[in-house]
Amino acid sequence: MRTEMKDETQALVNDTGNLGKFSQLLASGDRDYLLSPTGAQVKVSGLEGKVVGLLFAANWYPPCRGFTQVLVGIYEELKSRVPQFEIVYVSSDEDLDAFNNFYGNMPWLAIPFSDLETKKSLTRKYEVEGIPCLILLQPEDGKDAATVRDGVELIYRYGVQAYPFCNQRLEQLRKEDKVKRENQTLLNLLANQHRDYVLSHSHSGLKQVPVASLVGKTIALYFSAEWCVPCAKFTPKLISVYEKIKHELAEKGEEDFEVVLVSSDRDKASFDSYYSSMPWLALPFGDSEIKNLVRHFNVQGIPWLVIIGPDGKTITVHGRSLINLYQESAYPFTSAKVEELEKQLEEEAKDLPALVYHEGHRHDLNLVSDGNGGGPFICCVCDEQGSSWAYQCLQCGYEVHPKCVRTVDRDNSVLITN
């Protein structure tokens, strides 16, 4: 009898010597299974010996939906050749219908929606403070040091290349990244052995422009897509800024600036329609370099604007924010130029009122900056990012750019300034 019990216990020990690690994490007193996409029950013990990702997400939060779409592609690619990888969904959905609707788009396992205690326990254990969050666990993970907590960033940055998501592999990828940054040129960013050109508009359609002809210029890589709502708002602004910069440079006899569209459109018809509205260059639709660029610059959402200097090195990945803050004045986007603009903004802020009553808002707005309660924010008027100076409601968190404030008299709501 003792021998039989010993054999049963040994059966729970996986190849790496861990005793039912995932069963301890993911099962409960009355449940030893996870849900599968078909609704079947899958034993938690079947995860032993695998690399497991815990996905904390919810249907109600748009970034979770966006990340899940990316993760599905990575998961399916990995599972086709690496059966020892699995993901488990840990839901923060608001009700069972929402859970079923969101989980219906996922090809992996899930903790039952009704098991609130296990979900709370996992959230506490891994100190999950925001979603989406992807915690990656190794089969031999008896120590927290073997737990990778920034899975969302790793998936966006490296995709399947990051597997098996261990610290040793990540350190190797980071070293490779450093070498790529040090050796980065415009040619090795935009061209490859199959293509040495980008596209441009012409009277007869699209024409090829050699990447070599762009060397020595300041280049903005515009990651965007027709289906993206924020892109639809930002693209007209970028077109206006682009044309003003080009006009100013032309008056000086210079041609030192260009934008290249890096499209995330889902089909060529959408790409053709979207690009037809733009005055700049583009990588061909579906080009193999697009995924490499997304990973190289760690693009986690669009629109995203990366500025490459005349030497082929990255000036900033925050071009969108600089355009929103300073428009065409941001050119050439260097740290020296940004410092100059920030000082100018500081001077202008000295003349701004400390308190305003903004049209359409019921509370006073206070002028704040990085040093006294301000910081990066999304303007509630134009929906674009801001930093440094802002008008902020201390009661409800409402924030607007100083340039977006429309001040009215509190008593009679008469517009005073723009």
Side-chain angles (χ1 to χ4, degrees):
M1 185 66 171
R2 289 178 180 273
T3 302
E4 289 176 359
M5 290 179 64
K6 181 178 180 181
D7 290 343
E8 289 176 4
T9 302
Q10 186 63 37
L12 291 175
V13 181
N14 62 20
D15 293 338
T16 62
N18 286 323
L19 182 61
K21 168 192 154 183
F22 290 119
S23 293
Q24 295 175 39
L25 270 178
L26 304 177
S28 64
D30 58 358
R31 176 184 55 78
D32 64 352
Y33 64 86
L34 298 166
L35 297 179
S36 77
T38 63
Q41 297 180 1
V42 176
K43 293 286 187 180
V44 178
S45 58
L47 295 178
E48 305 300 343
K50 295 185 177 183
V51 176
V52 175
L54 302 180
L55 173 63
F56 297 81
N59 75 307
W60 50 263
Y61 192 45
C64 292
R65 298 197 294 270
F67 176 67
T68 298
Q69 289 180 348
V70 174
L71 188 58
V72 166
I74 301 299
Y75 175 84
E76 291 178 340
E77 185 175 349
L78 277 174
K79 286 289 284 186
S80 66
R81 55 187 176 85
V82 185
Q84 60 269 31
F85 174 62
E86 192 52 79
I87 291 175
V88 177
Y89 177 42
V90 186
S91 164
S92 295
D93 295 306
E94 55 275 80
D95 53 50
L96 183 59
D97 287 341
F99 168 82
N100 289 334
N101 181 59
F102 196 32
Y103 182 51
N105 298 314
M106 301 177 188
W108 43 72
L109 304 177
I111 292 174
F113 178 76
S114 59
D115 190 351
L116 184 60
E117 286 307 312
T118 298
K119 292 188 288 186
K120 284 183 176 179
S121 174
L122 291 169
T123 299
R124 288 193 299 267
K125 177 177 177 60
Y126 295 108
E127 300 176 344
V128 176
E129 296 181 349
I131 54 175
C133 175
L134 182 64
I135 305 294
L136 294 155
L137 307 174
Q138 298 298 316
E140 72 281 3
D141 181 8
K143 303 175 183 177
D144 284 343
T147 301
V148 174
R149 299 171 182 270
D150 51 354
V152 172
E153 180 180 351
L154 295 176
I155 289 295
Y156 275 126
R157 187 167 184 81
Y158 300 115
V160 295
Q161 296 180 37
Y163 185 82
F165 307 109
C166 60
N167 287 302
Q168 183 179 3
R169 174 59 178 156
L170 300 180
E171 183 61 28
Q172 179 185 354
L173 288 170
R174 287 170 182 137
K175 288 180 179 178
E176 292 175 0
D177 278 351
K178 183 180 179 181
V179 172
K180 286 179 182 178
R181 287 193 298 270
E182 291 172 349
N183 297 316
Q184 177 180 302
T185 67
L186 193 65
L187 286 171
N188 63 32
L189 280 176
L190 298 184
N192 55 40
Q193 59 181 342
H194 306 293
R195 177 189 48 74
D196 62 356
Y197 62 85
V198 291
L199 300 177
S200 176
H201 296 293
S202 72
H203 296 299
S204 57
L206 298 180
K207 68 176 183 178
Q208 298 179 1
V209 176
V211 174
S213 68
L214 305 178
V215 173
K217 296 183 179 182
T218 297
I219 303 296
L221 302 181
Y222 183 38
F223 295 82
S224 187
E226 186 179 52
W227 52 263
C228 167
V229 174
C231 295
K233 293 183 177 181
F234 183 69
T235 297
K237 182 182 296 185
L238 183 59
I239 290 174
S240 174
V241 168
Y242 170 83
E243 291 177 339
K244 289 176 181 176
I245 292 174
K246 295 286 280 187
H247 177 73
E248 291 176 4
L249 290 174
E251 288 185 336
K252 300 175 183 177
E254 301 173 358
E255 288 289 338
D256 296 333
F257 178 61
E258 196 50 78
V259 174
V260 178
L261 172 66
V262 184
S263 167
S264 298
D265 284 303
R266 293 162 180 158
D267 55 71
K268 192 170 185 304
S270 297
F271 167 81
D272 290 341
S273 171
Y274 192 41
Y275 181 48
S276 68
S277 69
M278 300 175 180
W280 45 66
L281 308 174
L283 285 178
F285 171 74
D287 192 87
S288 61
E289 289 304 315
I290 292 176
K291 287 185 177 180
N292 294 333
L293 289 169
V294 168
R295 290 170 184 165
H296 183 69
F297 292 111
N298 194 23
V299 177
Q300 297 185 20
I302 55 176
W304 190 277
L305 194 67
V306 176
I307 309 297
I308 307 299
D311 60 355
K313 307 300 183 187
T314 304
I315 293 177
T316 181
V317 297
H318 303 297
R320 176 189 175 190
S321 178
L322 294 179
I323 292 290
N324 287 329
L325 285 171
Y326 306 117
Q327 292 81 46
E328 64 274 11
S329 299
Y331 181 83
F333 309 98
T334 59
S335 56
K337 182 63 175 179
V338 172
E339 184 178 348
E340 174 190 327
L341 291 168
E342 287 175 345
K343 288 180 178 178
Q344 182 179 329
L345 197 61
E346 291 285 333
E347 288 299 315
E348 292 173 354
K350 292 178 180 179
D351 297 324
L352 294 174
L355 195 71
V356 298
Y357 193 65
H358 174 64
E359 182 182 41
H361 191 70
R362 65 185 183 277
H363 303 134
D364 289 325
L365 301 182
N366 293 265
L367 183 65
V368 297
S369 67
D370 287 337
N372 67 346
F377 66 96
I378 300 297
C379 178
C380 293
V381 172
C382 69
D383 291 329
E384 291 291 357
Q385 186 176 348
S387 62
S388 187
W389 293 96
Y391 277 104
Q392 181 186 81
C393 177
L394 301 183
Q395 297 187 54
C396 63
Y398 185 92
E399 288 184 288
V400 295
H401 294 122
K403 64 184 176 62
C404 292
V405 167
R406 295 180 63 80
T407 306
V408 294
D409 181 87
R410 175 190 291 275
D411 298 322
N412 55 26
S413 295
V414 175
L415 187 66
I416 299 175
T417 70
N418 59 358

